[in-house]
Amino acid sequence: MDMEDEQTMAKEINTIGVLTSGGDAPGMNAAIRAVVRQGLFRGKRMKGIKRGFAGLLNEEIVDMDAKSVSDTISRGGTILQTARCLEFVTAEGQEKGAGICEKHGIDAVVVIGGDGSFQGAQKLSSLGINTIGVPGTIDLDIACTDYTIGFDTAINTAMQAIDKVRDTSTSHERCSIIEVMGRGAGHIALWCGLANGAEEVLLPEKFDHDEQRLINQVKNARQLGKQHYIIINAEGIGDSQGMAKRIEEATGIETRATILGHMQRGGSPTCKDRVYATTMGAMAVDLLCEGQSNRVVAHSGGEFVDFDINEALGMHKDVNDFMYRISRSLV
Ligand code: ADP
Ligand code: F6P
C-alpha cells in the first residue's frame, strides 16, 4: 500500500464517545439518544463523557447501551450534564484530553454544543481523535446552520411567557420590557417580537441606543389608544431595569421589566427539536462510520448537510433583515 492510499483510507472507528458542552439546550437528550442508538446499530461501542470537556479531563467516562438513553427523548437538559472548561482551551489540556480518549479506547467523539465547543472538537480532531460537531444552543448563533438544537423550544417557552406578561400589561395599561436570552445574538428576541406582536424589538445587531426615539414611540402609542407597549429586549443589550426606569420617568407611564432568564433553557423539547436533534445525532455517527472527521452537522437550504469545522467557524450570520423590518412595520 503506498502512502497516498494509506492517508485516504478511513480510520476504523470501534468506540465512539459523546459529550454535551457549553449551555444546555432542550433536545440535547434526543441527540445523545440518537448518537448512542445509531452507534450501537452500526456495531460500535458507545461511551458517554460527562460534563463536557471538563469531564473528559477528569475521566468521567461511562459505558452506554440502548437502555442508558431510555425515557430521555422528552426530557429537557442533558443527561450527560454540561460544563465550561478553561483548561481545555490550552494546548496542554487538549493533549491531555486526546490522551485520555486513547487510554479509554475512544477513537471518535460527537460534540454537541456551540461554536466554542466546536473549537474544542477541532483541536481533538487535529490530535487524531475523529470528531463531529452537532449544533446545540438555544441562541441560534451558529453561522453554518439555520437550525440549532433548543432554539425552537426556547422561543416557544419565551413566547408563552411573554403572552402572560402582555395580559397583565394590558390590564394595568403599562409599558413592559421583556428581556430574552441569546448572548450577543438577537435571534430569540426577533422571533419572539414577531410571534408576540411586540411594539418594539431591540436587537444587539441593530440597536442604535436612541432611547429618545423609544420614549417618543411609547408616548405616541398611548395617544393612539394602545393599552400596553411591549418591548422585547435582547440580553446582548441588557439593562432592562434601567431602561424601564428611564422610560417611566420620561413618559409618566408605569413601566416594568421582566427578565425571563434560565426558564428559556428548560422544559420538554418541541417536536421540531426532538426530530432535528435525532436526525443530526444519527447523521453524526454515520459520518464517523464513513471515516469523516472535523465536520459539523447543519441544516441549510432545507436539507441536513455537513461542513468542515474550520469552514463553519469562519462563516458569519446576521439576523434576518426582512423579519426585522416587518417587526417595525407591523405595529
Ligand atoms: P458554546 O459551545 O455554547 O459556544 P462556550 O463558548 O462556553 O459554549 O464553549 C464551551 C467549551 O468549549 C468551553 O468551556 C471550552 O471547554 C471549549 N472551548 C471553547 N473555546 C475553545 C478553544 N478555542 N479551544 C478549545 N476548546 C474550546
Ligand atoms: O448560550 C446559551 C445561553 O443561555 C445564552 O443565551 C446566555 O447568554 C448564556 O447561555 C447564559 O449562561 P449561564 O448559564 O452561564 O448563565
Side-chain angles (χ1 to χ4, degrees):
M1 191 188 319
D2 64 25
M3 272 275 279
E4 204 174 321
D5 283 343
E6 209 168 351
Q7 275 169 359
T8 52
M9 246 188 68
K11 173 178 152 187
E12 201 196 338
I13 301 295
N14 294 310
T15 304
I16 301 175
V18 55
L19 62 81
T20 47
S21 167
D24 67 346
M28 280 185 165
N29 285 329
I32 296 167
R33 173 181 174 275
V35 169
V36 170
R37 298 247 170 116
Q38 184 71 357
L40 295 171
F41 175 75
R42 303 286 306 245
K44 309 301 173 195
R45 285 202 309 150
M46 300 304 299
K47 297 208 180 241
I49 302 165
K50 313 267 290 185
R51 300 183 180 80
F53 295 114
L56 174 63
L57 298 184
N58 291 328
E59 296 190 56
E60 296 181 73
I61 298 168
V62 294
D63 290 328
M64 296 195 87
D65 58 16
K67 233 176 142 210
S68 320
V69 289
S70 293
D71 247 340
T72 58
I73 199 161
S74 61
R75 281 164 54 190
T78 158
I79 55 164
L80 290 175
Q81 273 83 47
T82 186
R84 297 195 171 97
C85 172
L86 280 181
E87 191 185 348
F88 202 75
V89 181
T90 66
E92 297 74 37
Q94 292 150 14
E95 275 158 29
K96 184 176 164 193
I100 290 168
C101 286
E102 277 158 24
K103 178 177 162 193
H104 287 261
I106 297 175
D107 315 294
V109 180
V110 176
V111 173
I112 306 167
D115 275 346
S117 306
F118 294 164
Q119 293 191 48
Q122 183 189 42
K123 301 296 173 0
L124 269 184
S125 176
S126 70
L127 293 166
I129 309 299
N130 286 8
T131 58
I132 304 289
V134 173
T137 167
I138 63 164
D139 302 335
L140 196 70
D141 61 346
I142 301 178
C144 68
T145 182
D146 54 35
Y147 167 81
T148 61
I149 296 172
F151 176 72
D152 191 58
T153 307
I155 51 173
N156 277 286
T157 302
M159 178 188 75
Q160 285 164 16
I162 295 164
D163 279 345
K164 294 182 170 81
V165 176
R166 184 189 175 117
D167 287 345
T168 168
S169 195
T170 310
S171 307
H172 286 262
E173 298 174 89
R174 282 176 175 157
C175 169
S176 291
I177 303 179
I178 303 150
E179 185 174 310
V180 296
M181 275 188 167
R183 209 186 290 236
H187 304 288
I188 297 178
L190 180 56
W191 278 66
C192 288
L194 293 185
N196 293 95
E199 276 67 34
E200 191 79 45
V201 189
L202 306 180
L203 310 178
E205 296 88 345
K206 304 281 184 190
F207 191 43
D208 58 4
H209 295 272
D210 183 358
E211 248 178 52
Q212 192 52 52
R213 185 194 63 81
L214 204 55
I215 285 162
N216 295 343
Q217 299 272 86
V218 175
K219 280 186 185 158
N220 288 345
R222 181 52 51 93
Q223 274 160 16
L224 291 171
K226 281 226 180 209
Q227 291 175 312
H228 59 236
Y229 197 91
I230 305 291
I231 301 171
I232 310 292
N233 185 28
E235 173 190 27
I237 295 171
D239 189 29
S240 296
Q241 298 286 1
M243 220 182 263
K245 198 163 172 279
R246 292 189 293 275
I247 290 175
E248 180 165 311
E249 276 166 11
T251 62
I253 296 167
E254 270 193 320
T255 304
R256 296 282 191 272
T258 305
I259 296 167
L260 294 186
H262 288 85
M263 67 175 296
Q264 294 162 95
R265 285 224 307 251
S268 178
T270 58
C271 178
K272 179 170 181 175
D273 273 329
R274 295 181 200 192
V275 173
Y276 276 48
T278 296
T279 308
M280 287 181 157
M283 198 171 149
V285 169
D286 280 0
L287 287 169
L288 287 174
C289 292
E290 286 165 17
Q292 305 261 19
S293 181
N294 201 47
R295 309 223 32 109
V296 55
V297 179
H299 188 265
S300 180
E303 284 183 63
F304 292 99
V305 292
D306 57 284
F307 293 98
D308 180 88
I309 293 187
N310 309 347
E311 190 192 338
L313 290 174
M315 293 181 187
H316 174 75
K317 167 155 94 178
D318 210 342
V319 286
N320 184 296
D321 208 48
F322 183 69
M323 284 168 70
Y324 177 64
R325 277 191 278 126
I326 60 171
S327 78
R328 310 195 77 168
S329 58
L330 301 184
V331 291

